[in-house]
Amino acid sequence: MPTDETVVQTAAEAAEGVILAHYKQSELTDFDVTVTFEDDVLDVDVYVNAPDHAEADADAVADEAARTARDAVDELFEDGG
């Protein structure tokens, strides 16, 4: 069973990876990934503030990042941590 810290780190890295795959870091005005894992409940909040001229929709990228974070944690538990 993975530790809480491993779960949080895995989710955060997965979410950040999605964001940075869609945007160059210099394009981003701001982004924030907040992950908590308490009592076996994962909560992932992703905020992306990209310029209006960016190709990728910030809300869609944030949703994809959150889903990817949850999927990464699911895989972590399937693999046994």
Side-chain angles (χ1 to χ4, degrees), residues 2-4 6 9 12 20 22 31 33 35 37 46 51 53 57 77 80-81:
T3 65
D4 291 359
T6 300
Q9 183 175 356
L20 296 177
H22 284 281
F31 77 93
V33 176
V35 179
F37 185 67
V46 180
H53 67 276
D57 177 67
F77 277 96

Side-chain angles (χ1 to χ4, degrees), residues 6-48:
T6 300
V7 170
V8 168
Q9 183 175 356
T10 298
E13 288 174 358
E16 288 180 13
V18 169
I19 294 166
L20 296 177
H22 284 281
Y23 302 105
K24 293 178 185 172
Q25 196 161 4
S26 62
E27 280 184 317
L28 291 168
T29 305
D30 188 25
F31 77 93
D32 184 51
V33 176
T34 304
V35 179
T36 58
F37 185 67
E38 296 176 4
D39 300 322
D40 293 332
V41 176
L42 179 68
D43 185 37
V44 180
D45 291 315
V46 180
Y47 166 76
V48 177

